[in-house]
């Protein structure tokens, strides 16, 4: 299993600090969870049925006609490599490590690329995979470039897989409205923007034939009844979408400014996290953890990623710790 953020209980054991004392900034999940609506007993008691309103609500929210709900976009990340003959798969790295891992584990030839290399390599790839905006670097590939890459790949029956797990805050950059085009596969994650990662819900938008093969592979009832009810309520609450977008953007800007003030100017980020490359990432991670603040550490390249503090008090606590670190490391 690969390393991920959000492993608070391990930090509790490792640093001997009680769970309730931690400020967990180790994931890129919005720290304000959408309200949970009343869940009818039927949603728990009966097997979930498709077309109960969830697919329709998701089509409206995402602005696409063809999509498949899955138990977190992670389920699709693992399944997609099984739906193609073995081939050459380019992945823009560093990115969410489950992508390269899944293609390689299925037996495909993995080619790690940076954005500047794509144009030169594109015609030799069977699949190009990228995360947009990228986790953890925050790099964003413009929509026009993605659609151009897709057109070139599609001429040969090759795929472009765009993981848009962090794009709900800036939906104007999404390519999901084009996902009916053959060979364009768009992944969306419900948990991050709505702050409800525990419900395990994601969506795949793509041409119908591919979605049917994916649905066959994943089997029936992948998304639970309570999740289906809760997600419909979240999609329908359009006023709350605006509020979530605005407060994430403001918190992310404040976080970037705070990091810059303490000598840790972010090298990238998006409205759900900031990313700081530093040779001192490991000592910084440890310094913060000893004060009960958990951030995500990366070693290749050496970096930390910080999610959004939920309140002024959390921000103040982080600011104090970073100021102390800045003084001690000066
Ligand atoms: C870029 C990216 N894609 C996909 C996922 C999987 O998310 P989920 O399965 O909750 O949709 C993650 C989880 O952190 C992620 O960072």
């Amino acid at each position: 299993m690969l390393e991920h953020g959000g492993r608070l209980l391990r930090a509790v054991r490792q640093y001997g600090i009680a769970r309730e004392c931690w400020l967990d900034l180790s994931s890129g999940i919005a720290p304000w969870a959408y309200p949970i609506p009343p869940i009818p007993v039927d949603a728990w008691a009966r097997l979930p049925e498709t077309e109960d309103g969830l697919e329709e609500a998701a089509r409206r929210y995402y602005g696409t006609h063809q999509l498949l709900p899955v138990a977190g976009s992670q389920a699709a990340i693992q399944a997609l490599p099984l739906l193609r003959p073995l081939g050459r798969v380019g992945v823009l790295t560093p990115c969410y490590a489950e992508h390269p891992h899944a293609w390689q584990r299925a037996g495909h030839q993995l080619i790690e690329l940076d954005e500047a290399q794509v144009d030169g390599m594109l015609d030799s790839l069977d699949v190009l995979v990228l995360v947009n905006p990228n986790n953890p670097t925050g790099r964003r590939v413009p929509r026009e470039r993605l659609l151009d890459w897709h057109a070139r790949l599609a001429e040969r029956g090759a795929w472009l897989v765009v993981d848009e797990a962090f794009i709900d805050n800036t939906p104007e950059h999404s390519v999901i409205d084009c996902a009916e085009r053959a060979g364009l596969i768009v992944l969306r994650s419900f948990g991050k923007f709505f702050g409800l990662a525990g419900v395990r819900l994601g969506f795949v938008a793509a041409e119908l034939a591919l979605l049917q093969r994916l649905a066959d592979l994943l089997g029936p009832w992948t998304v639970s009844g309570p999740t289906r009810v809760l997600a419909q309520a979240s999609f329908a609450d359009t006023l709350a979408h605006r509020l979530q977008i605005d407060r994430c953007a403001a918190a992310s800007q404040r976080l970037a400014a705070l990091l810059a003030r303490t000598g840790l100017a972010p090298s990238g980020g998006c409205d759900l996290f900031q990313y700081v490359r530093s040779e001192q990432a490991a000592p910084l991670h440890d310094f913060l953890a000893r004060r009960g603040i958990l951030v995500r550490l990366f070693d290749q390249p050496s970096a930390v990623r910080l999610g959004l503090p939920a309140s002024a008090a959390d921000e103040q606590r982080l600011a104090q710790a970073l100021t102390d670190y800045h003084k001690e490391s000066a």
Side-chain angles (χ1 to χ4, degrees):
M1 297 273 251
L2 301 176
E3 270 300 309
H4 294 293
R7 296 199 55 186
L8 187 56
L9 295 179
R10 187 175 62 178
V12 166
R13 275 196 305 276
Q14 191 177 344
Y15 289 92
I17 298 172
R19 191 186 193 287
E20 58 278 13
C21 298
W22 282 89
L23 170 56
D24 182 6
L25 304 177
S26 68
S27 77
I29 298 162
W32 307 285
Y34 262 54
I36 314 291
I39 310 273
V41 173
D42 259 6
W44 301 97
R46 293 179 52 82
L47 283 169
E49 294 188 59
T50 55
E51 299 299 340
D52 56 353
L54 174 63
E55 283 79 359
E56 189 46 43
R59 285 183 203 114
R60 271 200 303 277
Y61 173 75
Y62 289 117
T64 187
H65 295 300
Q66 289 163 197
L67 44 72
L68 178 73
V70 290
S73 54
Q74 178 64 30
I77 291 171
Q78 290 177 215
L80 283 174
L82 308 175
L83 294 179
R84 267 197 86 95
L86 296 185
R88 284 165 57 81
V89 178
V91 181
L92 254 63
T93 56
C95 74
Y96 182 55
E98 297 284 347
H99 285 290
H101 181 65
W103 289 93
Q104 200 162 37
R105 191 177 46 185
H108 296 269
Q109 183 190 349
L110 174 69
I111 301 150
E112 298 194 46
L113 299 170
D114 62 38
E115 191 178 344
Q117 293 172 302
V118 171
D119 273 317
M121 295 291 287
L122 201 61
D123 297 330
S124 69
L125 297 177
D126 297 300
V127 182
L128 175 64
V129 182
L130 62 109
V131 182
N132 208 43
N134 190 35
N135 173 20
T137 64
R139 180 230 58 238
R140 188 168 52 75
V141 180
R143 182 181 146 91
E144 307 68 47
R145 177 172 293 177
L146 290 177
L147 294 178
D148 176 54
W149 286 349
H150 165 255
R152 279 173 60 190
L153 290 161
E155 274 172 21
R156 294 180 296 108
W159 286 356
L160 177 66
V161 179
V162 186
D163 177 346
E164 297 188 337
F166 291 96
I167 216 163
D168 293 48
N169 299 71
T170 52
E172 65 279 12
H173 299 307
S174 171
V175 291
I176 199 166
D177 57 314
C178 303
E180 286 149 36
R181 300 181 190 177
L184 179 58
I185 300 161
V186 179
L187 307 181
R188 299 291 291 253
S189 179
F190 176 79
K192 299 182 173 40
F193 175 73
F194 292 99
L196 293 167
V199 304
R200 311 301 309 126
L201 179 64
F203 291 85
V204 185
E207 63 176 326
L208 213 47
L210 182 89
L211 293 183
Q212 277 161 354
R213 291 173 59 217
L214 184 58
D216 269 356
L217 180 62
L218 296 175
W221 314 302
T222 53
V223 176
S224 75
T227 294
R228 297 185 67 95
V229 172
L230 175 156
Q232 285 182 62
S234 304
F235 284 143
D237 193 351
T238 46
L239 273 181
H241 301 161
R242 191 68 253 165
L243 169 70
Q244 190 81 325
I245 286 176
D246 291 346
R247 64 181 164 182
C248 288
S252 188
Q253 280 166 25
R254 286 196 306 273
L255 175 60
L258 163 60
L259 288 162
R261 275 202 307 280
T262 48
L264 293 164
S267 45
C270 68
D271 285 352
L272 287 171
F273 58 79
Q274 292 293 330
Y275 175 69
V276 181
R277 276 191 65 173
S278 162
E279 287 311 315
Q280 299 307 310
L284 170 62
H285 169 270
D286 189 61
F287 181 94
L288 292 174
R290 288 179 193 287
R291 282 161 181 71
I293 300 175
L294 191 61
V295 300
R296 173 75 161 94
L297 175 66
F298 297 90
D299 55 3
Q300 273 182 343
S302 174
V304 287
R305 185 195 63 205
L306 295 89
L308 306 180
S311 63
D314 286 352
E315 245 173 73
Q316 184 47 42
R317 182 171 166 197
L318 177 65
Q320 187 59 56
L322 290 175
T323 306
D324 293 348
Y325 175 77
H326 192 50
K327 277 189 203 139
E328 279 191 28
S329 58

